[in-house]
Amino acid sequence: MSSSHYSLLIFLIAFSACVATGQSYYILKLSVLRQTFIQDPTWVVRAKDFQTFFYNQTLDHFNYRPESYTLFKQKYLINFKYWGGANASAPILVYLGAEAAIDGHIGGVGFLMDNAAHFRALLVYIEEASFSCHQTIRQSWEEIDRVAFEPHGLTKLSKTFKTCSPLQSSSELKNNLIGIYAGAAQYNDPFRRPVEAICNAIDGASPKNDILKKIFAGLVASNGNLTCYVNPPSSPPSQTDLGWHWQSLCSLMVEQE
């Protein structure tokens, strides 16, 4: 395909995605990782080239409370296949994972594998560990689903978490909690210290409280005392909201040959 045809194709894709309608503001977002519906046939072979290691990592580097020095095993993978060695001053290419298990990213991040042989590089993939070290939060996922499948379970969850409108599914609640945990761990404002606030609220809840009430305590610590949580009434999007979604897909750079 010629460069002119390629540019036209990109323009048509971008134009079709950027046509706004008055009924929906949802715009498809593209991930940095390709989707898994196209399976790379070489990935089965590549997986054999990786060795898995664990590093005894400190739980929290941002305060000096005794529990912050708890250690957990942080996972990382190394591929020695192409490495020229330290004596040859061969480089080390490192990928820092996102808020997910590192295994699913290895086949999707092409830069390291594409350039490893040329640079005779050592490849290192480090799994980010942020909030999933907390046992109560991990247990709550199964508990939310368990309660949701009970008779009137969604009504019970709605009351426990003081939702602004009745929950339609357990996923609605879990998606909201994911956003809170991810935002707290990723940005962790040093003045508000949301990670510390959420953890302290969960750990400091009465022992008589069940798992879900402890999670709700963390939700209150994150959002403050509100009349309702989880699914507040939606407001019309601002110009910034509309512009951000439009720009996220339409700001494409096309290399001209």
Side-chain angles (χ1 to χ4, degrees):
M1 181 182 293
S2 66
S3 60
S4 60
H5 289 163
Y6 180 78
S7 299
L8 177 60
L9 176 61
I10 293 295
F11 172 78
L12 291 175
I13 294 174
F15 179 79
S16 63
C18 297
V19 174
T21 69
Q23 299 180 354
S24 175
Y25 292 106
Y26 178 79
I27 296 179
L28 176 66
K29 289 189 175 181
L30 301 179
S31 169
V32 295
L33 300 177
R34 67 173 180 263
Q35 299 299 312
T36 56
F37 57 83
I38 300 180
Q39 179 65 41
D40 185 349
T42 64
W43 171 234
V44 177
V45 178
R46 289 179 180 176
K48 299 178 182 178
D49 298 329
F50 288 86
Q51 297 182 35
T52 301
F53 300 89
F54 294 90
Y55 175 76
N56 290 327
Q57 183 63 270
T58 302
L59 178 63
D60 191 344
H61 296 271
F62 296 97
N63 70 66
Y64 299 98
R65 295 169 61 107
E67 58 267 27
S68 299
Y69 294 95
T70 301
L71 299 179
F72 70 95
K73 293 189 179 297
Q74 185 173 12
K75 183 177 181 179
Y76 63 99
L77 308 174
I78 298 181
N79 185 337
F80 296 91
K81 180 177 181 179
Y82 304 100
W83 195 35
N87 293 333
S89 298
I92 300 176
L93 302 182
V94 180
Y95 173 75
L96 303 178
E99 297 90 348
I102 194 65
D103 305 80
H105 288 206
I106 296 175
V109 181
F111 179 84
L112 275 70
M113 290 299 302
D114 292 344
N115 292 281
H118 176 75
F119 291 104
R120 303 175 64 198
L122 179 71
L123 305 183
V124 181
Y125 296 76
I126 302 175
E127 183 170 273
E128 177 184 328
S130 52
F131 222 83
S132 62
C133 306
H134 202 290
Q135 191 67 23
T136 304
I137 294 175
R138 297 179 65 180
Q139 294 173 347
S140 71
W141 243 234
E142 182 178 349
E143 182 66 7
I144 289 173
D145 287 333
R146 185 191 69 79
V147 174
F149 282 104
E150 292 179 348
H152 309 293
L154 291 177
T155 300
K156 181 179 179 180
L157 289 174
S158 299
K159 292 180 178 179
T160 300
F161 288 90
K162 296 178 63 175
T163 61
C164 299
S165 60
L167 291 171
Q168 301 301 312
S169 67
S170 60
S171 297
E172 186 178 4
L173 173 59
K174 291 192 290 186
N175 288 340
N176 181 271
L177 294 174
I178 287 173
I180 292 174
Y181 300 150
Q186 182 167 352
Y187 300 108
N188 201 24
D189 181 350
F191 298 101
R192 293 181 58 248
R193 297 184 178 180
V195 171
E196 182 177 354
I198 293 173
C199 288
N200 287 345
I202 293 175
D203 294 336
S206 172
K208 297 180 180 180
N209 288 346
D210 59 22
I211 291 176
L212 297 184
K213 290 182 179 179
K214 291 180 180 180
I215 294 298
F216 178 68
L219 181 62
V220 174
S222 174
N223 293 347
N225 292 315
L226 304 176
T227 56
C228 64
Y229 300 85
V230 178
N231 48 11
S234 58
S235 57
S238 65
Q239 291 184 350
T240 300
D241 293 330
L242 293 175
W244 179 267
H245 289 289
W246 183 87
Q247 181 180 352
S248 66
L249 185 60
C250 298
S251 294
L252 299 177
M253 297 179 62
V254 180
E255 180 180 356
Q256 300 293 335
E257 295 181 359

